[in-house]
Amino acid sequence: MKESEIAKTEVVNLLNTLIKEYKVFAPVEQNGFITFQEIHSGSEAFLDYINSKKPPKEIFFPQSERLFSYDLSRGEGWGVEEPASEKKQKIIFGIRPCDARSLVLLDNVFDGKLYKDPYYTDKRKNTTIIAIGCNQPSNTCFCTSLGGGPFSQEGSDLILVDIGQKYIIQVVTERGKKLAKKHNEFKEAEDNSLSLMRDTKGTAEALIKSKIEVQKVTKKLDSMFDDPFWDLVSEKCLGCAVCTYLCPTCYCFDITDEVTGQRGERVRTWDSCAFPNFTLQASGVNPRPSSKERLRQRIMHKFDYFVANHGMAACVGCGRCIKECPVNLDIQVVLNSILNH
Amino acid sequence: MNNPYLPLPMRVEKIVLETEDKNIKTFSVKFLNDEDAANFNYLPGQFAQLSVLGEGEAPFGIASSPTQPGELQFTVNKAGVLTTALHNLEEGEIIGLRGPLGNCFPIEALESKDTIIIGGGFAFTTLRSLINYILYQENRSRFGNVVVIYGARSPGLLLYRDELEKWEGRTDLDLHLTVDRAEKDWQKKVGVVPNIVKEIAPSPENAYAVVCGPPIMIKFTLPVLKDLGFPPERIVLSLEMKMKCGIGMCGRCNIGNQYVCKDGPIFTLAQLNELPGEY
Amino acid sequence: MLDTSVAIRDIAKKLLDDKRVDLIIGFEKGSVPLRSTPCFVRSTSEADRLIWNVNCENNLAKYLPKIKERVAIVAKGCDVRSTIGLIKEKQITREQVFIIGIPCKGMIDRRKIEAKLDGKEILEAEEEDDTIILKGHNLKETIKKEEFLHNSCKTCTHRNPVIYDVLIGDKVTEDQAVDEYREVKEFEAQSHDERWQSFSDEVSKCIRCYACRNACPFCYCQECFVDSSQPQWIGKTTNLSNTAIFHIVRAFHIAGRCVDCGACDRACPMGIDLRRLTKKMEMDVKDLFHYEAGISLEDVPPMATFNPDDPQEFIMV
């Protein structure tokens, strides 16, 4: 399909049109950083940003989610109520290609062959993803090492490329095609726009300096489980959950019951393999008793176990963990240490 | 929507106190809805997540055998929040169940072979399911000899004592009970399970060993089985891990790339040897 | 700053050669501009990695509890006060820890710098005596360090280590004139509704990553109250009730022990003003018990003891 283009000045109108029919999520500025929120007017969207603080996984996999509620009588009518499924179609506008890719990765977990998570899949199937490529990747980005890239189309229905005054729109999926056809804000792309796009992409891709051979890391990890390497690497780790909560591909969660008065709820909340209690059994046995075992689990899960189970590393190279780790425990440094070990 | 997180309502029909320390009870539960009962098909080794609404949920091996329809049983050791809540229940109350989950003992592989069942403490629950399955009239002839070695710290801590007595009377099963610490009336073996296995020295020829017990028992039993000549492919273990979702999504119960809730809890030693030693 | 780095390396090598310590905890160069990262040194060759600069913002005393070896710690004023606190709480002995004290004029807050640059990314940062030269795409700017210090550094009254085994560099002048509780008093002057709204807005940003707790040297409990299941004190969800209770209770747990090192504030990825509660606690402890944490190895923390004449208005109203 031919590429189309839209003037940047038209984007607010486009969003306002979309808002009439869809629930639209876009990056907004809040508390000094960028977060994905539902917008009610196109002017709320803030598109001149590197990436959001929290990953947009929270739109599909919220930090706290009610699975069902019930009454506490323990009688036959236990009043279990599932939340109503969301009917309204959604759009995520302005997501970055790394985050769009992360959704495909998460689909492996929540939309599996044997079991499907209806809370996630319900939201996922109703959502159109419109990404905006990265003209200026951050110095902490390493998406190209993970099979992604600043203009990667994986996970998007439409992807926009910023060429200065306009965006070029590239259609990726049928769903994206249908959406693009409905909106006359999209004009056919001019030839010089297309060559500008090629230049923009080239410049952006060259900015990503970090090149890590992740496949070699996976192979190396196979034989490194018992290596004292992990003692040294984990020494400065604080054991907080910053890296896991801000990671677009981390998905560990806890399930607990919370009670208020005569009703209770079973809730799902984000959890982290970095926490000491993550694997603590009621008997007191803990297969991962120190930060060494826990950091090892994080790295091996992302770059070895997930690869074995799903054919891809559980990382999209977005760099959030690098930016936010309180002690600057840089995953790229860890991966390179593994390669050089 | 087909929601794998939604528990099915079960009525607690009967609660039996198993052990003299009062820490272990066996719960017989029944589905409230016949349709749920009809759809619940399990094999020995599998587990289910039991909920006490308002308290939480935890995994328990199914202690009954599918050859005993209408009688779904779980044996619960009181250790934490949920197990304490279960222990405080009265007959007639409603709990939730999600299952059957996990894989089962390799029944097909066990057919026409001898099965050496080795259990310790309160890990005997799913082994009991397996034994009853094999002993079931219509199944028995498909399996070879069955040797059961089951031990507990003291006689009062053995589970299913009524059943054990019945099994002792059977000729199609070789039952050896042992305790770490004998008491006045105890006439049977005294010694830890690994030592009794050594003593009985079951033959590995055309035989599988199925082992369930606390980590320490497993640690000392495996070398005994190795010395007897059991190959890792024919040593079967049932593992335990902290679990939450039970369906391989919450990321917590993995050993390497295998999830104990979904790819297990039954693994052969050969499979475990391929995995990191984190269990 | 270059001299300080060299001096730290020399001391570290000497300590290892003399077998005075088995481990030195310091800082090495970070992996991105404006970051330094904790470094654990056990050999003289590793000692060459040690540096000191205006990005050494972590409180290394965090790593002291549970260390069984003899350890040297590279510590600025606040870190030394935390170490004193940990020694008094018997998490490490005075004999075990060799304090390499560094007089400190403050660490810079990279988030404040990022906010000032309005989205432009810093690709290189060169530290000079009083300034930092920042470079990036379409970016070349020189900033004054003192304008971008962490909030806890701006009100610091103990820049010089209170105790030390060796001091690197000359002592710096203490700021006697600063009103370190000005922000607390401004907050207290607001109405009850204003304060609750402001507090709720702040903690609503919390994602319960526990970076604040894990960065704090005084949060070393085997089982933190948030992880207790029998009884369960707070829920796991991020509703306001659960989150507010976490922060309020943590503030109470470190009352009388917190030295306002700011580690919690710096660790928080969501930019929550955590010092609002902790600074209030510190002020109250001074008012009620005339005690300042981490100054002396001899005095007893007020929450660990009682005096018959402790204030008791809450009982006797």
Side-chain angles (χ1 to χ4, degrees):
Chain A
M1 158 148 173
K2 287 209 159 137
E3 270 98 350
S4 26
E5 60 177 48
I6 181 172
K8 276 193 182 166
T9 47
E10 284 294 298
V11 170
V12 171
N13 287 339
L14 171 67
L15 287 172
N16 283 329
T17 314
L18 292 172
I19 285 167
K20 292 197 191 117
E21 205 185 322
Y22 300 85
K23 209 168 170 178
V24 178
F25 290 84
V28 303
E29 214 176 358
Q30 201 182 75
N31 297 320
F33 46 80
I34 304 299
T35 171
F36 276 85
Q37 301 280 357
E38 187 185 352
I39 55 170
H40 301 284
S41 139
S43 53
E44 288 169 35
F46 186 87
L47 301 177
D48 187 16
Y49 76 113
I50 298 183
N51 212 345
S52 58
K53 175 82 70 166
K54 283 202 277 174
K57 74 179 177 187
E58 55 175 345
I59 299 172
F60 304 98
F61 172 52
Q63 177 155 16
S64 308
E65 184 164 23
R66 172 162 56 92
L67 298 178
F68 53 87
S69 61
Y70 46 81
D71 75 52
L72 295 172
S73 60
R74 304 210 192 127
E76 289 196 24
W78 63 359
V80 165
E81 260 175 46
E82 289 168 79
S85 47
E86 277 219 39
K87 295 279 187 281
K88 198 163 186 194
Q89 295 285 320
K90 292 203 278 282
I91 289 182
I92 305 188
F93 187 90
I95 190 175
R96 291 302 189 191
C98 53
D99 290 335
R101 228 191 121 235
S102 76
L103 298 175
V104 174
L105 222 141
L106 291 176
D107 288 344
N108 281 307
V109 177
F110 290 112
D111 198 357
K113 291 192 207 84
L114 205 54
Y115 296 108
K116 293 186 194 298
D117 181 315
Y119 303 95
Y120 174 91
T121 55
D122 249 12
K123 299 181 183 88
R124 194 72 174 103
K125 67 173 186 265
N126 281 350
T127 309
T128 307
I129 309 282
I130 305 178
I132 299 183
C134 307
N135 287 18
Q136 204 173 83
S138 169
N139 69 343
T140 51
C141 289
F142 58 109
C143 51
T144 49
S145 301
L146 274 316
F151 299 93
S152 162
Q153 299 188 340
E154 198 180 346
S156 302
D157 295 300
L158 292 169
I159 178 164
L160 272 54
V161 181
D162 179 347
I163 55 166
Q165 306 292 345
K166 311 176 189 172
Y167 288 109
I168 303 264
I169 301 116
Q170 295 188 296
V171 168
V172 183
T173 63
E174 270 306 307
R175 176 183 229 151
K177 188 173 182 178
K178 266 202 233 159
L179 186 78
K181 276 210 166 123
K182 283 205 296 190
H183 292 274
N184 55 12
E185 290 93 341
F186 296 152
K187 314 256 178 291
E188 193 173 312
E190 295 166 21
D191 283 334
N192 66 342
S193 300
L194 294 175
S195 70
L196 248 177
M197 175 171 81
R198 279 190 291 273
D199 291 339
T200 306
K201 283 192 177 183
T203 315
E205 269 148 24
L207 279 173
I208 301 185
K209 303 276 185 267
S210 176
K211 296 214 184 323
I212 302 174
E213 292 176 273
V214 171
Q215 279 164 342
K216 284 201 180 148
V217 173
T218 304
K219 208 154 190 284
K220 262 270 172 79
L221 284 174
D222 273 342
S223 57
M224 274 179 74
F225 188 81
D226 292 309
D227 203 301
F229 168 83
W230 301 107
D231 292 281
L232 301 170
V233 158
S234 64
E235 232 171 348
K236 65 188 181 189
C237 173
L238 294 180
C240 66
V242 171
C243 56
T244 52
Y245 283 6
L246 299 186
C247 172
T249 61
C250 273
Y251 55 85
C252 286
F253 58 88
D254 195 0
I255 302 178
T256 49
D257 284 38
E258 294 205 351
V259 170
T260 314
Q262 285 309 305
R263 291 266 322 157
E265 292 184 346
R266 181 149 296 163
V267 291
R268 189 229 309 267
T269 51
W270 287 355
D271 205 346
S272 173
C273 59
F275 288 147
N277 283 5
F278 189 64
T279 49
L280 177 66
Q281 300 171 22
S283 60
V285 168
N286 190 347
R288 296 187 200 132
S290 78
S291 63
K292 164 196 164 164
E293 290 90 15
R294 300 191 279 264
L295 187 71
R296 173 176 64 188
Q297 157 67 15
R298 176 151 205 271
I299 303 294
M300 295 205 66
H301 164 79
K302 286 190 168 296
F303 296 97
D304 194 357
Y305 309 152
F306 203 85
V307 178
N309 288 335
H310 304 290
M312 59 184 97
C315 174
V316 291
C318 75
R320 286 181 174 95
C321 57
I322 302 170
K323 283 203 201 295
E324 303 295 343
C325 173
V327 293
N328 188 216
L329 207 169
D330 188 325
I331 200 167
Q332 288 179 100
V333 171
V334 175
L335 295 177
N336 281 322
S337 305
I338 293 168
L339 284 173
N340 297 330
H341 189 65
Chain B
M1 61 181 164
N2 182 14
N3 188 344
Y5 295 103
L6 212 54
L8 303 168
M10 317 287 290
R11 179 179 292 106
V12 175
E13 298 276 296
K14 190 156 164 235
I15 306 176
V16 167
L17 187 60
E18 291 281 354
T19 53
E20 64 183 5
D21 65 1
K22 302 199 180 11
N23 280 339
I24 305 185
K25 290 184 179 173
T26 295
F27 294 79
S28 299
V29 295
K30 200 169 179 163
F31 286 95
L32 246 57
N33 301 324
D34 291 333
E35 200 188 320
D36 295 338
N39 289 334
F40 191 85
N41 298 309
Y42 69 102
L43 283 171
Q46 291 191 294
F47 69 98
Q49 290 269 22
L50 296 183
S51 292
V52 174
L53 290 184
E55 299 291 340
E57 200 184 40
F60 299 95
I62 304 177
S64 50
S65 162
T67 53
Q68 300 158 314
E71 216 184 279
L72 197 57
Q73 289 183 330
F74 298 89
T75 301
V76 175
N77 175 48
K78 184 163 75 162
V81 171
L82 194 272
T83 47
T84 304
L86 280 171
H87 272 235
N88 288 338
L89 289 176
E90 286 178 6
E91 287 171 4
E93 291 198 80
I94 308 292
I95 61 171
L97 177 144
R98 288 195 294 128
L101 299 170
N103 65 356
C104 59
F105 289 119
I107 307 279
E108 269 174 48
L110 295 177
E111 286 179 5
S112 75
K113 306 237 180 8
D114 294 339
T115 310
I116 319 298
I117 295 177
I118 303 167
F122 53 82
F124 193 68
T125 58
T126 49
L127 292 180
R128 176 220 197 195
S129 171
L130 179 63
I131 294 166
N132 279 325
Y133 183 88
I134 295 175
L135 291 181
Y136 182 63
Q137 211 176 318
E138 283 172 35
N139 291 341
R140 188 65 188 88
S141 54
R142 297 207 310 275
F143 298 87
N145 296 327
V146 177
V147 176
V148 177
I149 302 166
Y150 171 38
R153 286 204 313 278
S154 65
L157 293 178
L158 286 165
L159 302 176
Y160 320 122
R161 273 165 287 173
D162 291 343
E163 207 157 8
L164 294 177
E165 256 182 62
K166 292 204 192 103
W167 289 347
E168 278 185 313
R170 295 179 73 124
T171 49
D172 57 353
L173 153 82
D174 206 1
L175 177 67
H176 303 272
L177 297 176
T178 180
V179 293
D180 297 359
R181 211 176 55 240
E183 274 157 26
K184 289 190 298 236
D185 298 333
W186 184 254
Q187 299 295 339
K188 306 184 236 294
K189 296 197 195 316
V190 176
V192 293
V193 167
N195 289 347
I196 303 302
V197 176
K198 208 180 203 168
E199 187 191 303
I200 294 174
S203 165
E205 210 175 299
N206 206 36
Y208 268 80
V210 181
V211 188
C212 279
I216 185 104
M217 185 205 99
I218 300 201
K219 182 175 173 189
F220 286 100
T221 304
L222 290 180
V224 173
L225 291 172
K226 181 174 178 202
D227 287 341
L228 287 171
F230 282 86
E233 308 81 62
R234 284 194 269 118
I235 299 177
V236 176
L237 297 160
S238 181
L239 295 184
E240 276 184 6
M241 276 292 180
K242 179 172 181 177
M243 290 181 193
K244 282 283 175 172
C245 70
I247 54 176
M249 284 187 199
C250 74
R252 143 194 342 257
C253 68
N254 70 304
I255 301 170
N257 60 28
Q258 300 287 286
Y259 287 93
V260 176
C261 68
K262 190 181 69 160
D263 305 305
I266 313 292
F267 293 97
T268 64
L269 186 60
Q271 287 171 317
L272 288 179
N273 287 342
E274 299 287 302
L275 297 177
E278 203 175 47
Y279 53 93
Chain C
M1 329 137 284
L2 190 61
D3 289 343
T4 314
S5 300
V6 170
I8 292 174
R9 286 174 205 158
D10 287 342
I11 261 283
K13 287 178 191 168
K14 186 161 196 313
L15 288 170
L16 288 169
D17 279 336
D18 292 346
K19 297 206 196 314
R20 180 74 198 279
V21 297
D22 309 300
L23 164 69
I24 296 144
I25 310 178
F27 286 93
E28 63 177 327
K29 189 166 187 292
S31 66
V32 289
L34 294 182
R35 297 298 303 261
S36 295
T37 184
C39 176
F40 292 74
V41 168
R42 289 184 171 84
S43 72
T44 46
S45 59
E46 283 174 342
D48 279 324
R49 286 157 45 191
L50 292 167
I51 55 142
W52 188 258
N53 61 24
V54 81
N55 308 311
C56 293
E57 62 173 20
N58 302 96
N59 186 336
L60 298 178
K62 170 71 203 177
Y63 298 108
L64 291 179
K66 292 191 201 143
I67 290 199
K68 305 278 181 274
E69 310 144 278
R70 292 164 313 154
V71 54
I73 178 177
V74 176
K76 40 199 193 291
C78 45
D79 307 339
V80 168
R81 291 174 60 208
S82 302
T83 307
I84 290 174
L86 289 172
I87 292 169
K88 285 199 286 199
E89 292 181 18
K90 307 209 186 336
Q91 293 305 303
I92 196 153
T93 64
R94 178 69 188 93
E95 296 68 45
Q96 230 182 311
V97 62
F98 185 98
I99 301 175
I100 303 173
I102 321 265
C104 170
K105 288 206 271 192
M107 294 290 151
I108 55 120
D109 184 345
R110 67 179 183 282
R111 295 194 179 112
K112 280 189 191 164
I113 299 177
E114 282 159 15
K116 171 110 191 303
L117 295 180
D118 203 27
K120 290 207 201 92
E121 206 183 2
I122 301 163
L123 296 178
E124 262 176 66
E126 251 174 70
E127 191 183 334
E128 314 263 284
D129 277 333
D130 295 315
T131 57
I132 308 177
I133 304 170
L134 304 167
K135 293 186 191 152
H137 301 297
N138 301 324
L139 168 70
K140 180 152 192 259
E141 212 171 303
T142 303
I143 57 166
K144 282 212 182 108
K145 284 186 205 177
E146 63 177 10
E147 286 174 15
F148 292 91
L149 296 180
H150 276 294
N151 288 337
S152 49
C153 298
K154 294 204 293 204
T155 55
C156 176
T157 53
H158 293 284
R159 296 169 172 169
N160 297 306
V162 172
I163 60 167
Y164 49 85
D165 291 295
V166 76
L167 194 70
I168 301 207
D170 296 322
K171 290 202 173 178
V172 297
T173 44
E174 299 286 4
D175 187 348
Q176 306 292 0
V178 68
D179 178 7
E180 55 176 324
Y181 302 112
R182 181 178 59 85
E183 280 180 26
V184 179
K185 290 180 210 157
E186 277 170 15
F187 187 68
E188 279 185 313
Q190 293 178 1
S191 73
H192 169 276
D193 286 345
E194 281 173 325
R195 278 182 279 131
W196 177 248
Q197 188 59 51
S198 168
F199 171 71
S200 305
D201 289 345
E202 273 306 300
V203 298
S204 295
K205 304 182 213 168
C206 178
I207 59 172
R208 304 279 284 286
C209 63
Y210 301 120
C212 52
R213 173 193 75 177
N214 287 30
C216 175
F218 292 103
C219 281
Y220 55 74
C221 284
Q222 287 269 52
E223 184 188 68
C224 176
F225 76 97
V226 304
D227 292 324
S228 172
S229 64
Q230 284 180 308
Q232 188 180 19
W233 299 110
I234 66 172
K236 305 269 177 196
T237 63
T238 45
N239 68 26
L240 183 61
S241 170
N242 288 332
T243 305
I245 300 252
F246 163 61
H247 287 284
I248 292 169
V249 173
R250 196 182 91 82
F252 274 106
H253 281 183
I254 46 123
R257 310 153 72 209
C258 169
V259 301
D260 197 22
C261 70
C264 53
D265 196 60
R266 296 165 200 190
C268 178
M270 309 309 284
I272 300 173
D273 180 12
L274 290 162
R275 293 175 57 247
R276 190 173 302 190
L277 288 183
T278 55
K279 204 66 183 163
K280 159 74 175 164
M281 284 293 165
E282 190 191 298
M283 188 179 87
D284 281 356
V285 166
K286 262 200 195 140
D287 284 342
L288 294 170
F289 305 104
H290 314 294
Y291 174 85
E292 197 174 2
I295 304 299
S296 131
L297 277 169
E298 277 74 44
D299 61 18
V300 183
M303 301 300 136
T305 185
F306 76 95
N307 267 319
D309 48 295
D310 275 340
Q312 39 189 347
E313 308 88 44
F314 63 97
I315 304 175
M316 304 282 283
V317 169

